[in-house]
């Protein structure tokens, strides 16, 4: 039996960093002062820094071999969390992982990590700012190419650089104004510095407005481009959803009013996540449940970035019901069941209507392409990083409002104008976490899984 060190050590956390379950390789991460002891007692001799080394992983007390794996040693501060970090790369069997986690738990001063605790330590050590942490969480959640690119850019500091740049200019302008205050007796100098600061703020206010008026492209890419399938009952909405999903997700029936709940499928259209929702058909009805279904359809259409109005070619209804009046400008008309039309019998229809037959499959690919084009147009391809979430949008709005207050306010009340600039800088600082953000931390880090 090995005698484990008795002296207390700083709080050290450990967790499985790879996905739980059977796998080729599993990675356990340890962060904190106790990481070196883990290597010394369980995988000694401690390997050179940042060099993968093969070792037996042993029980710290009995010395029993638990696995043979690869271990890594990242002495702080050059590590993900800024603390001493050890990584144990094991065979990814459940019993192996359990045995090693169990052994770590008996090491003094070690405990299982909470969700997001590694990332939180990285944030607290100044390794990542808050926008980068959020980018990292998005990168882990990314399901399409577009999402991956956007999240990687954010995790690498693209948004932070933008906001920090603005914040630095604000602080500079604030400095100018405050310097002007000191020369209050010499009126000319004060007025000159105020004019200089105003010029800077004007340009920045324009850039901030441009950033906000981006058509929500970053948020749509992060959360998915929403498409609502609407139309009269029996037009084939549920059939089309199944065709798009390439599996049976919705009940198809020739009994009108079958679909009541909103059913969603996620598609990857050229790197853009597209969420298509099937809804209840619009028609006159007495049924309370069906009316509720139609209310949900209307809500889904209003929340959608694009609405498809699907109608049956043998009895086309090309006039939208009043419930959809508000979304008419983002509605695409789709004519289904063209297989039922005999040659030459096509009714006169709007030019931009997309014809298809879910039954024969003709036109379905064209519709997919059309959706991809529309979604890509909305998101576009831009060099500048985009806002990706409401938290950022609200703070950037707050910054803009403060800049506007500065520009609208009286230049004679210099202290108040300085306060406007301070508020604008604070709003930006809260995005990256440079300014106190204690209130949002639990929420942001709680999004991670354990081990990140
Ligand atoms: N002939 C023909 N029938 C279709 C087509 N698409 C759907 N249907 C049929 O139309 C009926 C209603 O379909 P469903 O998807 O439940 O319509 P929903 O009420 O709009 O969801 C079902 O019997 C489907 O098999 C099509 O392209 N051609
Ligand atoms: Mg249906």
């Amino acid at each position: 039996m090995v005698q484990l060190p008795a002296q207390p050590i700083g709080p050290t956390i450990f967790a499985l960093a790879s996905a739980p379950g059977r796998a080729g390789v599993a990675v356990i991460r340890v962060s904190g002062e106790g990481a070196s002891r883990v290597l010394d007692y369980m995988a000694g001799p401690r390997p050179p820094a940042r060099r993968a080394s093969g070792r037996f992983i042993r029980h710290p007390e009995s010395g029993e071999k638990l696995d043979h794996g690869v271990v890594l040693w990242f002495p702080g501060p050059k590590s993900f969390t800024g603390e001493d970090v050890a990584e144990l790369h094991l065979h990814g069997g459940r019993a192996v992982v359990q045995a090693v986690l169990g052994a770590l738990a008996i090491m003094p001063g070690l405990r299982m990590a909470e969700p997001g605790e590694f990332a939180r330590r990285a944030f607290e050590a100044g390794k990542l700012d808050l926008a980068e942490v959020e980018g990292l969480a998005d990168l882990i959640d990314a399901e399409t190419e577009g999402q991956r690119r956007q999240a990687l850019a954010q995790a690498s500091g693209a948004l932070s650089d933008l906001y920090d740049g603005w914040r630095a200019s604000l602080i500079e302008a604030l400095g100018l104004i405050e310097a002007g205050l000191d020369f209050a007796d010499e009126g000319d100098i004060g007025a000159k510095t105020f004019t200089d600061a105003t010029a800077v703020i004007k340009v920045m206010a324009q850039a901030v407005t441009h950033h906000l008026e981006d058509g929500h492209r970053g948020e749509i890419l992060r959360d998915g481009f929403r498409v609502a399938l609407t139309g009269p009952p029996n037009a084939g909405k549920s059939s089309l959803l199944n065709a798009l999903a390439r599996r049976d997700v919705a009940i198809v029936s020739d009994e009108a009013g079958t679909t009541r709940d909103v059913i969603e499928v996620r598609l990857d259209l050229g790197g853009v996540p597209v969420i298509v929702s099937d809804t209840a058909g619009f028609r006159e009805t007495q049924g309370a449940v069906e009316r509720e279904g139609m209310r949900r359809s209307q809500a889904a259409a209003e929340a959608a970035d694009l609405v498809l109005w699907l109608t049956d070619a043998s009895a086309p209804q090309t006039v939208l019901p009043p419930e959809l009046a508000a979304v008419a400008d983002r509605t695409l008309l789709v004519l289904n069941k063209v297989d039922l039309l005999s040659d030459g019998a096509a009714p006169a229809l709007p030019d931009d209507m997309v014809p298809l037959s879910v039954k024969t499959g003709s036109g379905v690919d064209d519709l997919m392409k059309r959706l991809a084009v529309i979604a890509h147009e909305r998101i576009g391809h831009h060099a500048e990083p985009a806002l990706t979430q409401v938290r950022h949008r609200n703070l950037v709005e707050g910054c803009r409002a403060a800049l506007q207050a500065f520009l609208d306010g009286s230049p004679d009340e210099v202290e108040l104008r300085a306060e406007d600039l301070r508020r604008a800088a604070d709003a930006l600082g809260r995005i990256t976490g440079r300014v106190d953000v204690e209130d949002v931390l639990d929420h942001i880090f709680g999004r991670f899984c354990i081990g990140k």
Side-chain angles (χ1 to χ4, degrees):
M1 287 295 257
V2 179
Q3 193 56 47
L4 290 174
Q7 72 267 43
I9 52 173
T12 299
I13 52 172
F14 66 91
L16 180 65
S18 50
R22 194 167 158 269
V25 176
V27 179
I28 290 177
R29 182 143 63 168
V30 184
S31 178
E33 254 179 75
S36 57
R37 297 233 167 106
V38 166
L39 292 172
D40 295 345
Y41 285 83
M42 293 178 62
R46 196 189 309 176
R50 291 175 294 282
R51 286 258 289 279
S53 314
R55 293 283 188 278
F56 277 108
I57 317 294
R58 295 172 184 275
H59 192 277
E61 279 178 348
S62 68
E64 183 197 348
K65 289 173 185 164
L66 303 175
D67 190 20
H68 188 261
V70 168
V71 301
L72 286 157
W73 167 231
F74 301 97
K78 283 169 79 179
S79 69
F80 174 64
T81 57
E83 305 177 321
D84 285 351
V85 169
E87 276 183 17
L88 311 176
H89 295 228
L90 312 167
H91 292 105
R94 290 179 208 275
V96 175
V97 171
Q98 270 321 309
V100 176
L101 289 176
L104 287 167
I106 67 161
M107 294 278 294
L110 262 67
R111 66 163 170 81
M112 277 284 275
E114 309 275 343
E117 202 171 358
F118 290 93
R120 188 162 186 154
R121 288 187 177 198
F123 168 69
E124 273 156 14
K127 289 270 164 181
L128 294 170
D129 70 38
L130 216 47
E132 289 167 346
V133 165
E134 287 168 319
L136 189 63
D138 288 351
L139 189 56
I140 292 171
D141 288 340
E143 286 178 352
T144 73
E145 272 296 289
Q147 288 179 317
R148 180 187 61 72
R149 269 192 221 113
Q150 173 164 284
L152 183 61
Q154 187 176 329
S156 314
L159 267 184
S160 310
D161 290 349
L162 179 69
Y163 298 140
D164 282 346
W166 284 342
R167 189 158 169 266
S169 310
L170 276 171
I171 291 169
E172 205 179 303
L174 191 58
L176 277 177
I177 290 187
E178 282 170 342
L181 271 175
D182 297 340
F183 293 101
D185 309 340
E186 299 154 58
D188 286 357
I189 300 178
K192 165 87 170 69
T193 54
F194 197 89
T195 315
D196 290 351
T198 305
V200 172
I201 299 306
K202 261 199 189 130
V203 173
M204 187 182 306
Q206 274 166 8
V208 171
T209 299
H210 178 73
H211 183 60
L212 282 167
E213 288 170 359
D214 65 349
H216 294 264
R217 63 187 170 89
E219 290 149 289
I220 292 174
L221 182 55
R222 177 174 183 265
D223 301 332
F225 181 82
R226 304 195 77 91
V227 177
L229 282 175
T230 65
N234 270 339
K237 300 179 293 298
S238 298
S239 307
L240 179 59
L241 185 81
N242 291 342
L244 293 174
R246 297 202 172 84
R247 64 198 157 92
D248 279 345
V249 284
I251 302 172
V252 170
S253 157
D254 47 19
E255 188 181 317
T258 305
T259 306
R260 272 103 184 255
D261 254 335
V262 177
I263 298 178
E264 292 185 347
V265 298
R266 293 181 76 88
L267 309 175
D268 177 349
L269 294 186
V272 176
V274 175
I275 304 167
V276 186
S277 52
D278 181 24
T279 68
F282 283 97
R283 65 165 176 178
E284 291 295 322
T285 177
Q286 302 301 322
V289 177
E290 199 181 341
R291 287 212 65 78
E292 172 58 20
M294 284 167 55
R295 200 193 56 74
R296 290 183 193 190
S297 307
Q298 190 180 346
E302 282 166 7
D305 300 299
L306 176 72
V307 177
L308 298 186
W309 173 258
L310 198 65
T311 178
D312 186 329
S314 56
Q317 290 185 38
T318 54
V319 179
L320 295 181
E323 290 91 338
L324 295 186
V327 298
D329 59 344
R330 51 177 196 274
T331 299
L332 184 65
L333 302 180
V334 180
L335 187 70
N336 186 28
K337 311 196 190 182
V338 293
D339 56 287
L340 295 180
L341 297 174
S342 46
D343 285 344
L349 293 164
D351 286 346
D352 53 356
M353 198 156 185
V354 183
L356 57 84
S357 163
V358 176
K359 187 172 178 185
T360 66
S362 83
V364 175
D365 278 352
D366 287 340
L367 176 67
M368 291 259 241
K369 280 185 202 139
R370 194 73 182 262
L371 293 182
V373 168
I374 296 172
H376 277 264
E377 273 170 4
R378 259 313 279 287
I379 288 161
H381 213 82
H382 300 254
E384 322 97 80
L387 278 166
T388 55
Q389 44 186 296
V390 179
R391 188 182 83 82
H392 304 173
R393 183 170 288 282
N394 290 342
L395 289 166
V396 178
E397 294 273 15
C399 170
R400 175 166 66 173
L403 295 179
Q404 201 55 53
F406 175 89
L407 293 172
D408 294 345
S410 158
D412 299 332
E413 297 168 310
V414 181
E415 278 96 346
L416 292 181
R417 299 297 75 80
E419 189 50 35
D420 291 336
L421 295 190
R422 229 170 270 129
R423 268 193 300 133
D426 268 17
L428 295 176
R430 284 179 62 83
I431 300 181
T432 49
R434 310 238 184 273
V435 172
D436 163 56
V437 280
E438 212 39 55
D439 48 336
V440 295
L441 292 185
D442 287 343
H443 174 74
I444 290 171
F445 290 99
R447 258 188 70 207
F448 283 99
C449 39
I450 292 175
K452 190 67 222 173

